[in-house]
Amino acid sequence: MDTRTPAELWNERYTEPFASYGTEPNDYLREVADRIPAGPVLCLAEGEGRNAVYLASRGHSVTAVDLSEVGLANARKLAARQGVTLDTVVADLTTYDFGDTHWAGIISIWAHMPSAARPALHAACARALRPGGVFVLEAYTPRHLDRPGVGGPPVADALPTPAELRRALPGLRLEHCREVDREINEGKYHHGPSTTVQVLAFKPPAGAAGQDSRDDRR
Ligand SMILES: C[S@@+](CC[C@H](N)C(=O)[O-])C[C@H]1O[C@@H](n2cnc3c(N)ncnc32)[C@H](O)[C@@H]1O
């Protein structure tokens, strides 16, 4: 039986710097990065910092949270290499204080958490965005379990469905919440044909009525 804690397990994975998920940002984040307004950004479960560094290089002040201190140490090295700085916080997302109406963007790329933890986590994200702020998520879905060995936790409980996420972000306007089949190439743990959910959601500007444009239900 594996007796390592999750932090020990992830720390071990990151002892080979940048081999796991690489140094390039996630494709979907790159696609929607222009939609994130100026201001502070919070990157959840950010590992070795490739997405955080990308957003810092676009001018955001970025806080990266992860339970792996080794991952975040690598993130700071990647930031230094690319001439930017990050605020890094070693914390468990189930107890982290996201704050209130603060962030211009919250980024959740492969932040796979147990189903029991997700409702509170996503409600905290919605609360913590400032008016006009953007929530960006990409995660593997349960359908991805049909593609063993190409990435993501092999456990259905850790994989959100689009239907769950459409209900999970109180007060945000969903621009899209879509399940996609796409090729992923992000280092040794994420590669090959994959099935993911991609979310782009906005907190309405102050005074605007929340309006949901969910145009892509499946
Ligand atoms: C698949 S990696 C993704 C890393 C990064 N987001 C990326 O795209 O390169 C998942 C990350 O989630 C972190 N993680 C897992 N459970 C966590 C928790 N409860 N709180 C904070 N981080 C967690 C792990 O340490 C790991 O770095």
Side-chain angles (χ1 to χ4, degrees):
M1 193 177 81
D2 192 341
T3 54
R4 290 172 298 177
T5 64
E8 287 168 342
L9 201 146
W10 285 103
N11 280 337
E12 205 165 292
R13 178 167 290 196
Y14 293 138
T15 53
E16 191 185 349
F18 311 116
S20 300
Y21 310 107
T23 56
E24 292 299 310
N26 167 264
D27 295 334
Y28 174 61
L29 175 61
R30 211 197 290 260
E31 187 186 316
V32 299
D34 280 348
R35 309 295 303 279
I36 305 168
V41 169
L42 177 66
C43 290
L44 308 181
E46 180 48 19
E48 297 178 287
R50 62 198 179 105
N51 302 309
V53 165
Y54 169 69
L55 292 170
S57 72
R58 293 176 60 89
H60 293 284
S61 135
V62 181
T63 299
V65 184
D66 199 285
L67 49 69
S68 169
E69 58 190 286
V70 177
L72 291 179
N74 292 346
R76 290 190 296 275
K77 284 181 199 147
L78 183 64
R81 232 197 258 170
Q82 301 201 11
V84 296
T85 55
L86 301 177
D87 189 9
T88 56
V89 181
V90 178
D92 188 324
L93 287 174
T94 60
T95 51
Y96 179 68
D97 180 1
F98 286 69
D100 211 334
T101 53
H102 176 68
W103 304 100
I106 299 181
I107 313 302
S108 176
I109 302 294
W110 318 129
H112 287 279
M113 304 288 289
S115 61
R118 291 197 296 267
L121 175 68
H122 290 135
C125 291
R127 206 167 39 245
L129 282 176
R130 58 172 64 168
V134 177
F135 179 70
V136 175
L137 174 145
E138 185 164 38
Y140 293 102
T141 69
R143 282 186 50 229
H144 183 74
L145 291 175
D146 297 340
R147 307 175 187 274
V150 293
V155 180
D157 184 68
L159 307 175
T161 62
E164 173 193 324
L165 292 168
R166 284 189 194 106
R167 295 189 300 267
L169 298 162
L172 301 197
R173 181 180 64 78
L174 278 176
E175 181 163 313
H176 57 245
C177 177
R178 61 193 182 201
E179 191 163 39
V180 299
D181 293 320
R182 75 179 189 91
E183 185 76 21
I184 293 185
N185 189 0
E186 297 186 329
K188 77 174 171 192
Y189 290 105
H190 287 171
H191 57 86
S194 304
T195 305
T196 75
V197 57
Q198 299 177 334
V199 176
L200 183 64
F202 295 83
K203 184 172 259 193
Q211 194 198 343
D212 196 338
S213 66
R214 289 176 276 193
D215 55 354
D216 44 11
R217 290 165 186 268
R218 273 177 83 156

